[in-house]
Amino acid sequence: MNRARRTRIVATLGPASNSPGMVRALAEAGVDVFRLNFSHGSHEDHAAALKAVRGAEMAVQRPLGVLADLQGPKLRLGRFGEGGIDVAPGHRMRFDLDPAPGDVTRVQMPHPEIFAALRAGMALLIDDGRVRLRVIEATGQWAEVEVESGARLSDRKGVAVPDAIVPVSALTSKDREDLKFALRIGVDWVALSFVQKPEDMAELRRIVNGRAACLAKIEKPQALQSLDAILDYCDGVMVARGDLGVEMHPEDVPVAQKQILRAARQRGVPAIVATQMLESMTSAPAPTRAEASDVANAVYEGADALMLSAETAAGLYPLEAVSIMNRIAERVERDPLWPGLMDAEHAGMEIEDVDALVAAARKASEASATACMVVFTTTGGTARRMSRERPLQPILVLTPDPDTARRLALVWGLEPRLGRQPESLESLTDDAVQAATLYRLAEPGQRILILAGTPFGAPGAANLLRLARAGAAGH
């Protein structure tokens, strides 16, 4: 079962979609990676969902990835005596560490780490930015604030500090337990929320220790300031526009999206565009025209994957949301202008031999006789490098490792499949030709480009480029 598009689709599982039948239907409709959102649901729910994905994988006969999305630190206000207070611009009050119920003069903010970071003049955003405050004075125990906009503060609303790096670990105690569980059940990707600095991702990588691929969610302005250093520790990255849009001005979010996608493309790091892509489809059977354009623009920008959140987790039309996202991506990729956009940007040549080999393969693939490329890989590194070049031919990836195949399900243009480890140049060519024919990626007589590394089975970069013809194994 091949995709008729290169852009991949990530769908969040939840009450509306986690039954085995629906998971299979979503995979058939176009989902490549399923997201388990650990902000909601029990461990038992997530284990059942992963089992359903593995069942769907067998049914559709293509690898399906599973992404565990950790909740991350949630900074919140305390409680009010009456559940909340009405405020107006100019209203002043104090935030402190006292757990007593709040009123119009003060309320608890049970996070000493926030007070440690606050300085006079900084902004505080409450309830996803619905209330904006300005810090007048701050100490390590309290802060005097003034309301700039908004009308109501209520119990346990979230707090964001866009002007400072809050000295808090991106991995909470809940995240650590969730991560331990996710690795035990065998997820393929782990996403870390509210990454602020490279050390956050370094800590995740130390714990994961190769048992899954690690992805950074960029949803804090501070992360943009250290983006290159954060990407050093990433196997993938997500443009998490929801929380990013809370702490940034709306006009800055599209620019940030392009900045992240461009940096990730240069590194060969797969990038997901997420949040509110088809938001109206949580309750409507069709998207707005603006949402359709948003999805299309992400495809034109060369994003590896697009993500659905509430649309599939809790919406009324999960299958329709996946189907329309699939159709939009397919339509964009048929646009005569789209190939030129994909070819407009290539990463600079690096010193490694594999980069020269990949560049040569991309150039050779431009010949009209070339039907597809076949990449043999153990870890997936060569396949990701090939994807970075955005060739228009399908990239069939053969690996003996199911974990590698599932991780590559997120990457632009790759068709990962399980295949045996070649034992010789002859078996390499035979296997490539047979697989390209089996998966209907090449017709008899068409050219196939084969990339592999020798010695076979040893992890490392590709050092071999061969040409073969479908129906003519051994040549």
Side-chain angles (χ1 to χ4, degrees):
M1 181 183 177
N2 302 323
R3 300 298 189 210
R5 53 173 162 77
R6 286 79 162 180
T7 310
R8 300 311 179 205
I9 294 177
V10 182
T12 306
L13 293 179
S17 56
N18 57 14
S19 68
M22 179 57 80
V23 171
R24 176 174 175 175
L26 292 172
E28 291 172 343
V31 176
D32 301 289
V33 176
F34 288 91
R35 172 180 175 245
L36 308 180
N37 184 1
F38 278 81
S39 294
H40 306 285
S42 66
H43 284 181
E44 291 74 19
D45 294 334
H46 296 312
L50 185 140
K51 183 178 179 181
V53 173
R54 297 303 185 224
E57 182 179 68
M58 294 292 292
V60 301
Q61 291 293 292
R62 64 176 290 124
L64 298 172
V66 176
L67 166 67
D69 194 336
L70 304 176
Q71 176 175 290
K74 293 293 185 182
L75 307 176
R76 300 185 182 278
L77 292 180
R79 301 187 182 278
F80 291 88
E82 301 296 327
I85 61 171
D86 294 322
V87 296
H91 177 81
R92 289 195 177 193
M93 62 185 302
R94 178 170 289 196
F95 289 172
D96 57 36
L97 297 172
D98 185 353
D103 55 29
V104 294
T105 65
R106 60 152 298 278
V107 71
Q108 181 193 26
M109 188 165 65
H111 301 288
E113 58 273 19
I114 294 183
F115 292 114
L118 290 183
R119 300 291 182 270
M122 287 185 174
L124 282 175
L125 304 175
I126 312 296
D127 192 12
D128 288 339
R130 292 178 177 86
V131 180
R132 184 181 182 90
L133 309 166
R134 185 67 60 183
V135 177
I136 304 302
E137 185 180 356
T139 72
Q141 304 293 318
W142 54 265
E144 195 78 22
V145 299
E146 180 176 311
V147 177
E148 290 191 338
S149 62
R152 186 165 179 81
L153 292 174
S154 53
D155 290 350
R156 304 289 298 156
K157 292 302 183 184
V159 179
V161 191
D163 298 333
I165 294 180
V166 179
V168 58
S169 171
L171 281 165
T172 66
S173 57
K174 176 187 184 313
D175 293 330
R176 292 175 189 276
E177 288 302 314
D178 289 341
L179 176 58
K180 186 185 304 182
F181 171 78
L183 294 173
R184 187 166 68 246
I185 64 175
V187 302
D188 307 299
W189 287 84
V190 176
L192 185 61
S193 297
F194 300 108
V195 173
Q196 297 186 94
K197 54 192 184 300
E199 291 78 8
D200 295 333
M201 287 304 297
E203 183 180 11
L204 178 68
R205 289 194 77 89
R206 282 195 299 271
I207 297 172
V208 172
N209 193 27
R211 290 173 287 174
C214 296
L215 184 146
K217 294 173 67 178
I218 306 299
E219 47 197 335
K220 302 281 290 182
Q222 293 79 13
L224 291 171
Q225 299 168 14
S226 305
L227 183 59
D228 285 337
I230 288 171
L231 289 175
D232 287 340
Y233 295 96
C234 289
D235 301 304
V237 66
M238 182 188 297
V239 188
R241 302 180 304 178
D243 283 286
L244 196 60
V246 170
E247 300 197 27
M248 299 180 72
H249 296 298
E251 65 271 22
D252 292 329
V253 176
V255 177
Q257 176 172 314
K258 286 179 169 54
Q259 176 187 348
I260 297 165
L261 291 178
R262 187 176 299 113
R265 169 85 178 274
Q266 287 289 321
R267 297 290 193 95
V269 172
I272 305 171
V273 176
T275 319
Q276 297 177 329
M277 301 215 75
L278 297 175
E279 183 78 6
S280 69
M281 290 193 71
T282 55
S283 58
T288 66
R289 303 301 180 266
E291 288 169 339
S293 293
D294 183 37
V295 171
N297 284 333
V299 178
Y300 279 118
E301 289 175 347
D304 288 80
L306 316 176
M307 193 174 96
L308 296 165
S309 299
E311 301 95 328
T312 53
L316 299 178
Y317 303 96
L319 194 56
E320 291 84 352
V322 171
S323 296
I324 188 62
M325 179 171 276
N326 180 73
R327 284 160 46 200
I328 294 169
E330 287 183 358
R331 178 63 186 89
V332 170
E333 294 182 15
R334 292 196 305 269
D335 181 357
L337 298 177
W338 178 76
L341 293 173
M342 294 302 98
D343 192 50
E345 183 177 346
H346 295 285
M349 285 292 293
E350 299 178 17
I351 60 173
E352 298 181 31
D353 292 344
V354 65
D355 294 297
L357 193 73
V358 165
R362 179 185 64 82
K363 190 67 177 175
S365 74
E366 295 173 359
S368 59
T370 302
C372 70
M373 313 174 79
V374 180
V375 178
F376 288 85
T377 186
T378 303
T379 63
T382 301
R384 289 190 297 271
R385 277 182 163 95
M386 198 67 251
S387 169
R388 180 178 68 176
E389 295 302 313
R390 297 298 191 260
L392 298 183
Q393 287 74 16
I395 307 170
L396 176 61
V397 182
L398 298 179
T399 178
D401 188 345
D403 292 336
T404 295
R406 288 164 177 160
R407 293 175 192 179
L408 293 178
L410 182 68
V411 184
W412 188 99
L414 302 186
E415 286 288 340
R417 298 290 188 275
L418 290 179
R420 66 176 182 174
Q421 192 70 253
E423 299 176 353
S424 65
L425 289 178
E426 290 72 22
S427 68
L428 172 98
T429 307
D430 289 345
D431 289 352
V433 168
Q434 290 173 11
T437 305
L438 173 65
Y439 297 118
R440 300 181 181 178
L441 297 176
E443 298 292 335
Q446 288 185 308
R447 178 190 295 161
I448 298 169
L449 297 178
I450 306 169
L451 280 83
T454 56
F456 300 119
N463 55 16
L464 173 68
L465 175 61
R466 300 199 93 189
L467 300 181
R469 296 276 178 181
H475 299 284

